[in-house]
Amino acid sequence: MQGRPAGAAPPAIELRGISKAFGPVQANKDIHIRVEKGTIHGIIGENGAGKSTLMSILYGFYRADSGEILINGQRTDIPDSQAAIRAGIGMVFQHFKLVQNFSVLENVILGAEAGRLLKPSVSRARGLLKQLATDFGLNVDPDALIEDLSVGHQQRVEILKALYREADILILDEPTGVLTPSEADHLFRILRGLRDEGKTIILITHKLREIMEVTESVSVMRRGEMVATVRTAETGPPELAELMVGRKVLLRVNKRPATPGPVVLDVKGLRVVDSMGVERLRGIDLQVRAGEILGIAGVAGNGQSELLEALAGLRAGEGEATLAGQPLDMTGQTADGQTRRASGVAHVPEDRQRRGLVMDFFAWENTALGYHHDPAYNRGRFWMDNAAMIRTAQTYMTDFDVRPPNPALTAESFSGGNQQKLVLAREIERSPELLLVGQPTRGVDIGAIEFIHQRIIDLRDAGKAVLLVSVELDEIMALSDRIAVMFDGRIMGERLPEATDEGELGLMMAGMTGKGAA
Ligand code: ADP
Ligand code: MG
């Protein structure tokens, strides 16, 4: 083979000229990539760059429109996932495909043993699980039910499933999105162990730090194209970010130390019980001052959403809260999003598609949503001033670099990142006393992250209070002036960003009080 010393192993995977279109969208354009055997190879790119599509072609979920796949130097046709498994390819999905009320063992065997006697396979699987636990730290109780396992453990079961099917090539699509930092570290240890055993691993991520930490090589995708493949040791985050976005990107936010003023939000003993009777908030006390960003760290599902919703007047709770000394109704009796906004509380919800926008409304209607009682939008008693709303939308969209800046498009016609900018523009431009912001950059490309972070800091510097909820620890560390960690409906403790690290916060996020905890 060209350029390859005689006797050297062919790449575990080689893709030649892979293209795939979904209607008018060219998701993959003439992709060439070689992944060497026994390496961890990263694939990085912004949302929609085509990473998952490419891997789905490799795993037989989609058929390429053109191009060929070589596995260990052999041209291989992969029409379906059975063929992928036969070719030694295993995939760990973004959303696990495990049967919740089956045991670990049952899930590992499921589908792999069609037509065979179950008994031998059960003991074989049990033996293999034991082996893998000792070899790679892949320990999970074989008899535990999936529904009782943490996400980190469920992910291990997915890996075990692939290994049980004798996968030599393992594809992981954004595997750390759902993990705590220590679970992610553990996953990386497992991956390194597997690599050392000669397995080939493809790691898809949009996190530059993970690429730098665990891969040997990295391929960068942008808008359906493969723009570069480089050795990790010979590159760094600035270059990778530039390759991903197509321009230079500031990776760190510019932030002066905070100069906190008086307390804006004061919450005492906030409790929320959900409709199933589960206590989601178990007595939250917190304060946010003017000119300060309080970051709430935590793994998703530990009460952060309920906290934001209760404060935004969208969910009933009990307990006390004041805004600049004035009581806020937390019972849900007189509170709603509208009255909260009128009193100076803006809210960027975590789930912008469901809560933040009306998808089939125009952009200009969306940027007025919740603020349509504003005198600026009303002429006399009955007439809404559409022209004023459109003008305002135009300004917001220009200021927040919403693309395309056209107020007459419906919300659904914008990409996720641009939808987020619409919501942020609506909430931030009114310069609220308190901004409640959930997952401000979820699904947003790194170019836009830089911009959004700067706008949140600008609001703080204008003397406003910001309560930030994010599952991205990097984001919490970069923006917060103080960090509170939530676990199981409680605040585990507070830290100053300069006096803590990801390790300590990660422990607190897992319910363990870090060193020096109060
Ligand atoms: P990534 O994983 O890098 O975020 P994807 O491969 O998921 O990107 O998507 C690449 C492009 O293809 C996007 O524009 C996406 O909207 C589009 N796309 C992906 N899957 C489908 C599908 N099943 N139908 C239509 N369009 C799709
Ligand atoms: Mg994807």
Side-chain angles (χ1 to χ4, degrees):
M1 207 175 270
Q2 225 181 7
R4 177 166 300 280
I13 299 166
E14 181 172 357
L15 302 180
R16 292 183 184 161
I18 296 283
S19 293
K20 173 76 182 171
F22 296 105
V25 178
Q26 193 68 47
N28 287 163
K29 288 178 218 168
D30 189 27
I31 303 284
H32 291 260
I33 184 179
R34 302 163 74 123
V35 177
E36 300 304 327
K37 199 170 158 49
T39 63
I40 303 180
H41 191 113
I43 296 187
I44 198 161
E46 298 198 300
N47 286 299
K51 309 179 295 292
S52 294
T53 300
L54 190 64
M55 290 305 114
S56 300
I57 289 169
L58 190 51
Y59 195 64
F61 256 17
Y62 295 139
R63 293 213 77 160
D65 299 334
S66 56
E68 49 187 48
I69 300 173
L70 285 82
I71 306 292
N72 297 316
Q74 300 289 315
R75 273 196 60 172
T76 308
D77 190 31
I78 306 184
D80 53 36
S81 49
Q82 285 308 315
I85 292 167
R86 280 197 301 277
I89 301 172
M91 182 134 173
V92 175
F93 290 92
Q94 238 164 344
H95 304 286
F96 309 142
K97 298 188 184 294
L98 300 171
V99 185
Q100 289 292 314
N101 56 352
F102 274 27
S103 74
V104 170
L105 206 53
E106 288 165 333
N107 268 280
V108 167
I109 297 169
L110 199 71
E113 305 290 335
R116 291 191 218 165
L117 282 177
L118 206 57
K119 249 207 175 123
S121 54
V122 170
S123 57
R124 180 178 122 78
R126 201 178 275 282
L128 184 83
L129 254 56
K130 224 165 138 186
Q131 189 66 46
L132 293 165
T134 39
D135 290 353
F136 303 116
L138 268 163
N139 36 340
V140 271
D141 172 5
D143 300 312
L145 295 182
I146 297 298
E147 60 197 4
D148 295 331
L149 297 180
S150 69
V151 247
H153 280 88
Q154 292 192 29
Q155 192 173 60
R156 285 179 212 170
V157 178
E158 284 279 7
I159 297 173
L160 288 166
K161 246 181 105 163
L163 295 175
Y164 187 74
R165 285 156 183 71
E166 299 178 340
D168 272 322
I169 298 165
L170 207 55
I171 305 167
L172 295 101
D173 194 351
E174 306 264 4
T176 61
V178 291
L179 303 182
T180 64
S182 66
E183 285 175 326
D185 282 347
H186 193 117
L187 173 68
F188 292 159
R189 280 201 296 281
I190 292 168
L191 297 184
R192 287 190 196 101
L194 292 169
R195 173 201 58 197
D196 294 345
E197 283 297 299
K199 306 270 186 206
T200 305
I201 292 164
I202 299 185
L203 175 70
I204 302 174
T205 179
H206 60 269
K207 296 182 187 170
L208 297 169
R209 192 164 41 84
E210 296 179 350
I211 291 290
M212 296 313 298
E213 192 177 326
V214 79
T215 67
E216 272 86 42
S217 306
V218 50
S219 297
V220 186
M221 292 187 75
R222 184 168 79 230
R223 295 180 196 203
E225 290 179 65
M226 191 60 83
V227 291
T229 294
V230 286
R231 299 190 138 279
T232 312
E234 292 164 10
T235 187
E239 185 191 21
L240 290 175
E242 191 174 339
L243 286 167
M244 276 166 72
V245 182
R247 64 173 174 86
K248 285 208 185 303
V249 181
L250 205 65
L251 287 174
R252 280 198 358 207
V253 283
N254 284 317
K255 177 160 155 274
R256 290 180 279 122
T259 48
V263 173
V264 172
L265 177 70
D266 193 355
V267 179
K268 286 199 182 78
L270 178 60
R271 288 175 190 280
V272 165
V273 177
D274 71 12
S275 56
M276 308 290 286
V278 178
E279 195 178 21
R280 295 290 179 179
L281 296 182
R282 303 165 184 264
I284 298 286
D285 298 331
L286 60 82
Q287 289 191 330
V288 193
R289 294 176 174 272
E292 174 188 58
I293 301 174
L294 173 67
I296 308 275
V299 179
N302 280 284
Q304 303 97 310
S305 310
E306 290 78 5
L307 175 64
L308 281 181
E309 288 172 9
L311 292 171
L314 302 173
R315 185 186 272 276
E318 41 185 285
E320 284 166 30
T322 56
L323 183 75
Q326 297 300 309
L328 286 175
D329 173 20
M330 301 304 290
T331 64
Q333 276 166 356
T334 62
D336 53 34
Q338 191 102 30
T339 38
R340 280 294 205 276
R341 284 200 174 90
S343 56
V345 180
H347 178 212
V348 177
E350 292 179 292
D351 183 348
R352 55 183 164 260
Q353 300 216 334
R354 202 166 48 87
R355 289 242 189 221
L357 294 166
V358 181
M359 293 314 253
D360 56 359
F361 277 22
F362 297 122
W364 64 268
E365 294 173 297
N366 272 290
T367 51
L369 215 64
Y371 295 100
H372 46 276
H373 290 291
D374 191 320
Y377 290 157
N378 290 271
R379 285 187 305 186
R381 282 180 58 199
F382 301 109
W383 302 103
M384 301 293 290
D385 189 345
N386 289 358
M389 289 193 253
I390 292 169
R391 276 196 308 275
T392 308
Q394 187 70 69
T395 314
Y396 287 4
M397 293 173 86
T398 310
D399 282 2
F400 273 75
D401 190 26
V402 176
R403 294 180 210 179
N406 179 359
L409 294 173
T410 54
E412 65 199 345
S413 46
F414 294 89
S415 72
N418 284 296
Q419 290 172 2
Q420 178 75 343
K421 287 194 261 180
L422 276 177
V423 180
L424 281 157
R426 179 182 71 211
E427 303 300 334
I428 289 181
E429 290 258 4
R430 283 158 188 281
S431 203
E433 290 312 310
L434 171 66
L435 175 70
L436 306 168
V437 53
Q439 320 299 351
T441 58
R442 176 183 282 166
V444 171
D445 297 332
I446 51 178
I449 289 176
E450 170 190 354
F451 174 84
I452 290 171
H453 283 176
Q454 202 54 54
R455 297 309 301 248
I456 293 174
I457 288 169
D458 292 347
L459 189 71
R460 176 202 77 162
D461 290 345
K464 310 301 181 178
V466 179
L467 181 72
L468 163 74
V469 165
S470 175
V471 294
E472 298 289 346
L473 211 39
D474 288 345
E475 179 162 76
I476 292 283
M477 293 287 261
L479 293 182
S480 309
D481 301 308
R482 270 186 305 132
I483 300 171
V485 181
M486 270 188 87
F487 175 74
D488 197 24
R490 289 195 178 85
I491 289 186
M492 292 297 290
E494 261 188 40
R495 295 290 182 274
L496 295 174
E498 59 275 16
T500 186
D501 55 30
E502 302 222 330
E504 185 188 30
L505 294 174
L507 280 176
M508 293 165 78
M509 285 163 65
M512 284 167 271
T513 343
K515 57 178 188 289

